[in-house]
Amino acid sequence: QVQLVESGGGLVQAGGSLKLSCVVSGHTFSDYIGAWFRQAPGREREFVAVISQIGATIYDTNSVKGRFAISRNNAKNTLFLEMNSLKPEDTAVYYCAARDGVVIDRRLVFDYWGQGTQVTVSS
């Protein structure tokens, strides 16, 4: 079955950077749209960014555009989220997700999810 495993989370000071990785197994990742979501304590899970099979991207403009970058390495079945200029409000559990399809949209429903990785940004 398809499995997604995130890594790269941790504790960082405000203004710092982290790069999250998500390794996909059980299926050829190049077939899938990939995405990152996050969930802060007491809040609903929210969309961060999505990337098509060939690298087209959509970001949550209000919160992360210009600071975060989603990318993928299909040969290594890996999805990335590079996060720069981190703020305390970026503190959350970050989840990667995947699904098939041809059109990316922030409202897509994803079929496969990772277990999440904690990102904590101190002020």
Side-chain angles (χ1 to χ4, degrees):
Q1 73 256 25
V2 179
Q3 291 188 319
L4 286 70
V5 179
E6 301 100 334
S7 62
L11 174 64
V12 64
Q13 289 189 332
S17 299
L18 282 174
K19 187 173 184 177
L20 306 183
S21 299
C22 171
V23 177
V24 180
S25 61
H27 192 85
T28 304
F29 179 52
S30 60
D31 288 344
Y32 286 152
I33 295 168
W36 289 94
F37 292 77
R38 66 185 182 183
Q39 187 168 19
R43 300 187 63 176
E44 293 187 353
R45 187 167 59 194
E46 63 179 12
F47 168 81
V48 175
V50 62
I51 187 168
S52 74
Q53 291 88 336
I54 59 171
T57 58
I58 296 174
Y59 293 90
D60 179 79
T61 305
N62 290 337
S63 62
V64 307
K65 183 148 189 205
R67 300 189 299 122
F68 290 12
I70 187 171
S71 62
R72 62 193 296 158
N73 184 328
N74 288 336
K76 295 186 176 181
N77 279 1
T78 304
L79 179 69
F80 301 101
L81 184 68
E82 186 161 4
M83 306 184 294
N84 300 306
S85 302
L86 282 162
K87 306 175 181 179
E89 52 263 44
D90 294 318
T91 295
V93 178
Y94 283 72
Y95 298 90
C96 62
R99 60 162 290 158
D100 59 10
V102 296
V103 178
I104 58 170
D105 187 283
R106 62 179 296 148
R107 296 165 294 181
L108 286 175
V109 176
F110 284 81
D111 299 313
Y112 308 107
W113 292 85
Q115 82 288 350
T117 186
Q118 177 70 47
V119 171
T120 303
V121 185
S122 63
S123 57

